[in-house]
């Protein structure tokens, strides 16, 4: 997991999208926030990786489909270089298959391109703070699409989850359903701090970077399946 942003300083953002008009729109939205600072823009994946290496932004707002190198390959390059940079993917519903690749490459979350401005701002702050963002509506569509390739839970819990306590497994299920820590706390009638501790234990025990990887593992292992 990459370092969290130092409290008191703005979150440094790199915009990576091949459409100048979209980058302008994002700049207008994010530019009104005092704690967000757009340090550069990239028009393709190669440029995004190069600027990430040179400028070390806190968050890269990454489009999936770009020339020279797509967002999945660019994300993988950034993560494999072990840069203190987190990637937030922007996608459209017709590119769901790319989201799976982006998550496996190490993205810290994904949002729809038509996300409300306040949700985009909140997601950037969340990712910069060391957590990950799983947009529930994209998650549901994504999992419905890939449900046929997921394991049958009737075969029993995967051995990789044997080290989790019953409560930790319960928390993992709720994370996989796209709930935030606050929502899980309400669901289980405990404090948000307690849930944050449980999530941390789950990530450590399973060797995962963040809750996005936890979501992927929960579904790939068959612990949770999409609702009919």
């Amino acid at each position: 997991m990459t370092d969290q942003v130092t409290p008191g300083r703005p979150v440094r953002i790199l915009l990576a999208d091949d459409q100048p008009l979209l980058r302008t729109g994002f700049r207008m939205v994010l530019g009104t926030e005092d704690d967000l600072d757009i340090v550069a823009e990239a028009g393709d994946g190669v440029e995004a990786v190069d600027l990430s290496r040179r400028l070390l932004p806190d968050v890269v707002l990454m489009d999936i489909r770009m020339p020279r190198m797509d967002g999945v390959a660019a994300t993988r390059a950034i993560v494999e270089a072990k840069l203190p940079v987190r990637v937030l993917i922007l996608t459209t519903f017709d590119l769901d298959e790319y989201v799976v690749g982006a998550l496996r490459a190490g993205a810290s979350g994904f949002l729809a391109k038509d996300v409300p401005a306040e949700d985009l701002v909140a997601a950037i702050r969340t990712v910069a703070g060391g957590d990950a963002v799983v947009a529930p509506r994209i998650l549901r569509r994504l999992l419905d699409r890939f449900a046929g390739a997921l394991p049958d839970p009737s075969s029993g819990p995967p051995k990789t989850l044997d080290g989790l306590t019953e409560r930790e497994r319960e928390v993992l299920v709720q994370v996989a359903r796209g709930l935030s820590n606050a929502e899980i706390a309400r669901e289980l009638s405990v404090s948000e701090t307690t849930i944050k501790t449980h999530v941390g234990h789950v990530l450590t025990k399973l060797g995962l970077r963040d809750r996005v990887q936890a979501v992927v593992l929960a579904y790939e292992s068959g612990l949770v399946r999409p609702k009919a």
Side-chain angles (χ1 to χ4, degrees):
M1 185 179 293
T2 53
D3 295 334
Q4 297 181 12
V5 174
T6 302
R9 77 165 175 81
V11 176
R12 303 173 67 252
I13 303 167
L14 167 63
L15 300 179
D17 195 301
D18 63 332
Q19 299 183 48
L21 187 59
L22 281 178
R23 296 202 306 270
T24 299
F26 288 134
R27 182 178 284 277
M28 289 176 63
V29 169
L30 302 179
T32 62
E33 304 295 327
D34 292 338
D35 62 334
L36 304 181
D37 180 20
I38 299 172
V39 296
E41 298 181 15
D44 60 59
V46 171
E47 189 177 11
V49 174
D50 178 60
L51 288 171
S52 294
R53 289 178 181 276
R54 291 195 287 115
L55 301 178
L56 298 180
D58 300 306
V59 177
V60 179
L61 207 56
M62 183 85 76
D63 184 25
I64 282 285
R65 185 169 284 181
M66 293 187 292
R68 293 210 291 169
M69 178 186 290
D70 66 28
V72 175
T75 297
R76 184 176 298 109
I78 290 170
V79 172
E80 290 181 349
K82 300 187 184 305
L83 301 177
V85 176
R86 296 176 71 85
V87 178
L88 180 57
I89 294 287
L90 293 176
T91 184
T92 53
F93 285 152
D94 61 339
L95 295 177
D96 289 339
E97 64 272 21
Y98 289 93
V99 176
V100 173
L103 295 180
R104 288 176 175 153
S108 292
F110 52 95
L111 295 173
K113 278 195 171 183
D114 62 352
V115 64
E118 60 270 23
D119 290 351
L120 175 62
V121 170
I124 290 172
R125 289 171 179 152
T126 296
V127 168
D131 208 337
V133 176
V134 181
R137 67 190 181 119
I138 297 181
L139 178 64
R140 282 193 295 270
R141 181 180 172 95
L142 176 68
L143 295 172
D144 286 343
R145 180 168 179 170
F146 289 92
L150 296 171
D152 183 353
S154 65
S155 60
K159 293 188 181 301
T160 53
L161 304 181
D162 284 350
L164 300 183
T165 66
E166 182 177 349
R167 177 46 63 95
E168 287 167 353
R169 189 171 299 199
E170 192 175 9
V171 168
L172 175 56
V173 167
Q174 299 302 327
V175 168
R177 289 174 176 158
L179 273 62
S180 67
N181 286 350
E183 291 169 332
I184 298 173
R186 288 194 296 270
E187 185 81 13
L188 301 182
S189 299
V190 297
S191 72
E192 187 173 349
T193 300
T194 297
I195 295 301
K196 186 173 182 180
T197 299
H198 284 315
V199 171
H201 289 164
V202 169
L203 299 182
T204 299
K205 289 181 177 181
L206 299 180
L208 303 175
R209 185 188 66 254
D210 54 38
R211 66 197 298 132
V212 170
Q213 288 192 336
V215 169
V216 174
L217 175 64
Y219 281 92
E220 288 185 334
S221 68
L223 177 66
V224 178
R225 291 184 66 82
K227 295 180 179 179

